[in-house]
């Protein structure tokens, strides 16, 4: 795929779609890479639009049982609101090219590959489930997915056993496949096994085809990852690819328009107990207890406070009151006040920096000993998490659910579950992607703006002082409650995106931070 530097004046998607016909729009397993010219503008547009679709798939996958009627209905409605879903159904090129662009962006670490593979698989399963019976047969034949339809004579001999093992009838079509290709059906006891073969109904072939799709995509991502060094010489693509996986495409929480002044310093303690997500709760507690946060914590928490509506004057007063207790008022004015004003676009290049999204917090700037920033669910040891939430009065059942999500790597799902527990509601009507979104949704519930199904057993909210004292007694030998996990396969980049690179470069680290880094 050649990259042309010329920018298109027309809509990239419509222009590129005109060269393809409906035959190209067939569902594929992406086993042939595109070999066309594409402009840099198209490269960026295609990537962003594809990420939006996968984010929708991820969000609904957290809220519904996949492929049930509610899931299919909501996914169909949300996909229709995107700019390019109709183009995907009419022409194949956007679908094809955008998929391979995201392979470049999401192949560079095990965690990114796992996320991309899961969302693409869910999208594939949804699209395959909407095909007609004849289209499904044609897809299986075109992609040489091996299965053997059993004869009528063999079906008659096995029919009593087939009906007992599955939900089949005499009129069902059955196929003979190797049992290792449909282990999920074997696990759920939906197939009859004989001599190493599984007898699968036609309607259950989606399991076989999905496994084939997963296998092919996994191999493709591995091959793409080995090819990445060849892209290092092209400085046009690398910044986009590096930032794409951390891009936040949701609501803007810059805090400069509608909610400026909505929050004052006096409200922060109360709001932190009621509406802050766990990551910001931890930063607030640490700042109140130690009267200091290191650079990463000040960035993450400071931009969050800006996003919920804390004015610059109040931010300077808040940070000054806390940090001056540990470093003195003179040092705060010289080394810290500039950073606060910079976050609000009043110093340096005067950019309007936005609060960190969940993806950015999870994937970048991992905390070290002495740090309190990052994602509580991603960067805290599960054993410490269990102690922390039990100390806050959460039931053992709820704590087990949270820890289970964490151990399975579903950090945002764990945070959504935490929202349901602490807010006393059943089921979230949104997909959590941002700490400020957590705050706003909590405020809507507390202010009666959203009608919810109230849980009969909401969690007991513990005051900050009690929770902090309890946790400090248990963890008094630890420098920080955040313990970075040593995942052998975790090779996530620690670089921030382009905007925050400038933010980190222009702001000054204080003397204490530099001393801690050097030691």
């Amino acid at each position: 795929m050649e990259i042309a530097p010329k920018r298109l004046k027309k809509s990239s998607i419509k222009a590129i779609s005109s060269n393809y016909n409906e035959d190209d729009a067939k569902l594929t397993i992406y086993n042939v890479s595109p070999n066309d010219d594409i402009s840099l503008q198209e490269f960026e547009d295609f990537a962003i639009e594809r990420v939006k679709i996968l984010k929708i798939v991820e969000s609904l996958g957290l809220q519904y049982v996949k492929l049930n009627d509610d899931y299919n209905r909501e996914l169909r409605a949300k996909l229709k609101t995107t700019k390019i879903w109709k183009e995907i159904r009419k022409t194949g090129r956007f679908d094809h090219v955008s998929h391979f662009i995201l392979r470049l962006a999401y192949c560079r670490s095990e965690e990114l590959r796992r996320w991309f593979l899961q969302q693409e698989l869910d999208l594939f399963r949804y699209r395959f489930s909407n095909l007609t019976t004849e289209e499904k047969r044609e897809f299986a034949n075109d992609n040489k997915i091996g299965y053997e339809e059993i004869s009528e004579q063999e079906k008659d001999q096995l029919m009593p056993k087939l009906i007992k093992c599955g939900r089949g009838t005499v009129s069902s079509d059955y196929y003979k496949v190797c049992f290792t290709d449909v282990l999920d059906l074997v696990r759920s006891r939906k197939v009859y096994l004989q001599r190493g073969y599984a007898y699968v109904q036609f309607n259950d072939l989606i399991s076989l085809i999905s496994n084939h799709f997963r296998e092919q995509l996994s191999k493709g991502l591995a091959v793409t990852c080995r090819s990445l060094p060849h892209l290092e010489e092209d400085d046009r693509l690398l910044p986009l690819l590096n930032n794409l996986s951390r891009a936040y495409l949701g609501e803007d929480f810059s805090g400069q328009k509608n909610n400026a002044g909505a929050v004052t310093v006096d409200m922060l303690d109360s709001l932190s107990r009621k509406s802050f997500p766990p990551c910001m709760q931890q930063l607030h507690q640490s700042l109140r207890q130690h009267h200091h946060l290191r650079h990463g914590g000040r960035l993450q928490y400071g931009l969050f406070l800006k996003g919920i509506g804390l004015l610059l004057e109040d931010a300077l007063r808040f940070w000054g009151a806390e940090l001056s207790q540990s470093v003195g008022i003179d040092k705060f004015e010289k080394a810290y006040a500039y950073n606060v004003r910079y976050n609000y676009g009043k110093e340096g290049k005067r950019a309007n920096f936005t609060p960190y999204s969940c993806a950015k917090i999870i994937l970048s700037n991992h905390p070290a000993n002495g740090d309190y920033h990052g994602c509580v669910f991603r960067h805290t040891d599960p054993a410490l998490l269990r102690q922390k939430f039990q100390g806050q009065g959460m039931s053992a059942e709820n704590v087990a659910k949270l820890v289970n999500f964490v151990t399975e790597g579903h950090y945002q799902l764990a945070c959504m579950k935490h929202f349901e527990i602490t807010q006393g509601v059943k089921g979230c009507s949104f997909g959590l992607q941002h700490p400020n979104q957590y705050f706003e949704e909590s405020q809507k519930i507390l202010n009666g703006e959203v009608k919810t199904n109230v849980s009969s057993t909401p969690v007991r909210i513990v005051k900050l002082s009690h929770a902090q004292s309890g946790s400090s007694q248990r963890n008094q030998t630890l420098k920080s409650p955040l313990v970075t996990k040593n995942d052998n396969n975790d090779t996530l980049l620690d670089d921030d995106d382009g905007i925050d690179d400038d933010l980190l470069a222009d702001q000054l680290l204080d003397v204490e931070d530099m001393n801690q880094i050097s030691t």
Side-chain angles (χ1 to χ4, degrees), residues 186-210:
V186 174
R187 187 182 305 113
S188 57
R189 301 191 177 189
K190 292 182 179 180
V191 293
Y192 173 66
L193 296 179
Q194 180 175 286
R195 296 180 180 178
Y197 288 97
Y199 292 83
V200 183
Q201 292 185 71
F202 177 79
N203 291 335
D204 289 330
L205 277 181
I206 188 174
S207 175
L208 173 64
I209 295 174
S210 298

Side-chain angles (χ1 to χ4, degrees), residues 36-54:
D36 304 310
D37 293 336
I38 182 172
S39 71
L40 284 173
Q41 181 63 38
E42 288 175 328
F43 188 93
E44 182 176 359
D45 289 346
F46 283 22
I48 291 175
E49 292 299 328
R50 184 87 180 194
V51 169
K52 288 181 179 179
I53 289 179
L54 296 185

Side-chain angles (χ1 to χ4, degrees), residues 146-322:
Y147 59 80
E148 176 187 351
E149 185 174 0
I150 65 176
S151 65
E152 288 295 328
Q153 181 181 1
E154 186 177 4
K155 184 171 70 171
D156 292 339
Q157 293 176 353
L158 298 174
M159 184 53 63
K161 297 178 180 178
L162 294 176
I163 293 177
K164 287 182 179 180
C165 293
R167 304 166 309 283
T169 63
V170 177
S171 59
S172 299
D173 293 331
Y174 281 89
Y175 297 86
K176 186 178 179 180
V177 301
C178 181
F179 83 95
T180 57
D181 293 334
V182 287
L183 291 177
D184 54 335
L185 295 179
V186 174
R187 187 182 305 113
S188 57
R189 301 191 177 189
K190 292 182 179 180
V191 293
Y192 173 66
L193 296 179
Q194 180 175 286
R195 296 180 180 178
Y197 288 97
Y199 292 83
V200 183
Q201 292 185 71
F202 177 79
N203 291 335
D204 289 330
L205 277 181
I206 188 174
S207 175
L208 173 64
I209 295 174
S210 298
N211 289 338
H212 182 73
F213 177 84
R214 178 191 289 274
E215 180 183 357
Q216 294 298 316
L217 181 53
S218 181
K219 290 179 180 178
L221 288 171
V223 172
T224 304
C225 185
R226 290 195 294 268
S227 303
L228 278 181
H230 298 292
L231 289 176
E232 293 181 354
E233 299 177 359
D234 194 335
D235 56 3
R236 301 171 300 170
L237 298 183
L238 278 183
L240 174 61
L241 295 176
N242 288 338
N243 299 330
L244 192 59
S245 61
R246 293 191 289 267
Y248 172 67
L249 306 174
E251 183 180 348
D252 179 18
F253 294 100
S254 59
Q256 297 296 303
K257 297 180 181 179
N258 299 327
N259 64 343
V263 172
T264 62
V265 175
D266 297 336
M267 299 166 61
L268 290 181
D269 283 339
S270 175
L271 289 175
S272 69
R273 294 192 296 270
K274 298 177 181 178
S275 296
F276 279 19
C279 55
M280 301 305 167
Q281 233 178 41
Q282 179 165 265
L283 286 167
H284 184 80
Q285 292 176 16
S286 175
L287 181 61
R288 285 300 202 193
Q289 182 183 20
H290 305 295
H291 308 296
H292 187 267
L293 286 176
R294 295 175 69 179
H295 189 61
R298 296 198 305 274
L299 277 178
Q300 182 175 320
Y301 189 45
L303 291 175
F304 169 80
L305 293 178
K306 173 189 172 185
I308 65 175
L310 190 68
L311 294 174
L312 173 59
E313 294 76 11
D314 287 335
L316 287 170
R317 183 160 61 91
F318 171 69
W319 288 103
E322 291 299 327

Side-chain angles (χ1 to χ4, degrees), residues 19 48 64 77 99 114 129 163 168 201 247 271 284 349 352 397 404 425 438 453 483 492 502 506-507:
N19 299 326
I48 291 175
Y64 300 95
H99 170 86
R114 190 185 308 117
S129 66
I163 293 177
Q201 292 185 71
L271 289 175
H284 184 80
K349 64 180 184 180
N352 183 24
E397 180 183 359
N404 184 57
V425 299
Y438 184 111
N453 295 322
V483 180
L492 290 173
D502 296 332
D506 290 350
Q507 291 189 334

